[in-house]
């Protein structure tokens, strides 16, 4: 999902392009941007056919995510906001984890802040009892498309953040296995204008 992130989207898409796992598709859902986003994405479309671009009227990040997922063809889903980044090994190690243990429901990893703040993001280890009270799984965790299809998707009414936490609660049951890769593969941008700055 992207809305007026022309300053950052190239960095995000380049992090996808650098993946060692090559069997991916990257669907950019432009949520009615009025900046240079379409022109920047066009360069990636010309560079690699694994990039796809769709535009919609501005409806918020949850609707953009849902629409992108509905257009996807892959077995696994990785939501990625267009100001964040993933390491080149994230997809490869996540898919390996799913294949290693078919009972795993969600894969995520260690994370770091970058941008206005540069430091480790101290995420507590996952416990189902704790996620009922606070979120310890960032938005770019990986899950199976078939599990998404059993939910109602991301809540379109939640336009000011926390929609990822709400989604995890709809996806997970107390007996589900969540695996945290013990390496840093996700980078969350902190910027002065971020509406989520005070939520993490």
């Amino acid at each position: 999902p992207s809305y007026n992130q022309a300053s950052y989207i190239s960095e995000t898409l380049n992090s996808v392009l650098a993946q060692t796992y090559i069997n991916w598709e990257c669907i950019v859902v432009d949520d009615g941007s009025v900046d240079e986003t379409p022109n920047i994405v066009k360069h990636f479309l010309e560079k690699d056919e694994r990039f796809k671009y769709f535009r919609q009227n501005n409806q918020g990040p949850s609707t953009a995510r849902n629409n992108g997922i509905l257009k996807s063809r892959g077995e696994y889903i990785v939501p990625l906001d267009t100001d964040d980044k993933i390491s080149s090994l994230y997809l490869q190690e996540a898919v390996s984890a799913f294949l290693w243990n078919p009972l795993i429901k969600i894969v995520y990893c260690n994370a770091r802040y970058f941008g206005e703040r540069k430091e480790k993001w101290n995420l507590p280890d996952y416990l189902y009892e704790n996620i009922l009270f606070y979120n310890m799984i960032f938005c770019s965790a990986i899950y199976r498309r078939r599990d998404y299809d059993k939910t109602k998707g991301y809540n379109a009414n939640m336009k000011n953040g926390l929609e990822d936490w709400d989604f995890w609660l709809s996806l997970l049951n107390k007996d589900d296995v969540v695996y945290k890769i013990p390496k840093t593969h996700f980078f969350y941008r902190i910027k002065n204008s971020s509406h989520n700055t005070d939520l993490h």
Side-chain angles (χ1 to χ4, degrees):
S2 182
Y3 178 67
N4 290 344
Q5 297 293 326
S7 299
Y8 309 115
I9 192 170
S10 289
E11 201 171 354
T12 300
L13 297 184
N14 276 321
S15 79
V16 176
L17 195 58
Q19 293 302 302
T20 56
Y21 183 84
I22 62 172
N23 189 25
W24 53 261
E25 63 174 348
C26 180
I27 299 171
V28 179
V29 180
D30 184 346
D31 192 31
S33 297
V34 294
D35 61 4
E36 287 297 304
T37 293
N39 293 329
I40 293 171
V41 176
K42 181 181 178 184
H43 293 300
F44 285 88
L45 299 176
E46 294 169 348
K47 187 185 303 186
D48 196 307
E49 63 182 7
R50 292 174 293 180
F51 289 103
K52 306 288 190 298
Y53 175 79
F54 299 96
R55 185 175 174 85
Q56 64 182 32
N57 294 328
N58 182 254
Q59 300 172 66
S62 291
T63 299
R65 280 186 196 169
N66 289 332
N67 288 341
I69 291 168
L70 292 175
K71 294 177 185 301
S72 69
R73 299 173 298 167
E75 182 177 352
Y76 304 102
I77 300 296
V78 191
L80 180 61
D81 291 342
T82 45
D83 52 358
D84 298 334
K85 299 187 298 184
I86 52 177
S87 84
S88 61
L89 292 172
Y90 187 34
L91 299 188
Q92 179 179 319
E93 295 200 4
V95 171
S96 294
F98 280 113
L99 296 176
W100 164 66
N101 184 354
L103 296 179
I104 289 176
K105 194 78 166 280
I106 294 175
V107 173
Y108 69 122
C109 60
N110 292 331
R112 288 190 66 84
Y113 296 124
F114 75 110
E116 294 296 319
R117 282 166 55 194
K118 298 178 178 66
E119 62 189 33
K120 180 181 179 182
W121 184 354
N122 290 312
L123 293 165
D125 289 336
Y126 169 80
L127 282 174
Y128 181 77
E129 292 78 7
N130 290 344
I131 202 172
L132 299 174
F133 300 98
Y134 59 88
N135 188 21
M136 70 285 294
I137 304 176
F138 51 73
C139 64
S140 293
I142 302 176
Y143 51 89
R144 291 180 181 85
R145 168 65 191 272
R146 69 170 186 256
D147 290 327
Y148 170 89
D149 290 338
K150 296 173 185 175
T151 74
K152 295 181 180 179
Y154 293 88
N155 188 335
N157 294 318
M158 301 183 73
K159 296 184 178 181
N160 296 311
L162 304 182
E163 72 282 345
D164 51 327
W165 182 18
D166 177 75
F167 177 73
W168 302 138
L169 293 176
S170 72
L171 187 73
L172 290 167
N173 295 310
K174 64 182 180 65
D175 297 323
D176 288 333
V177 178
V178 174
Y179 176 65
K180 183 180 181 183
I181 300 170
K183 299 177 185 176
T184 302
H185 292 313
F186 178 68
F187 302 89
Y188 182 84
R189 188 186 299 273
I190 299 294
K191 51 187 191 290
N192 288 331
S193 60
S194 174
H195 74 262
N196 278 344
T197 298
D198 60 343
L199 301 176
H200 293 285

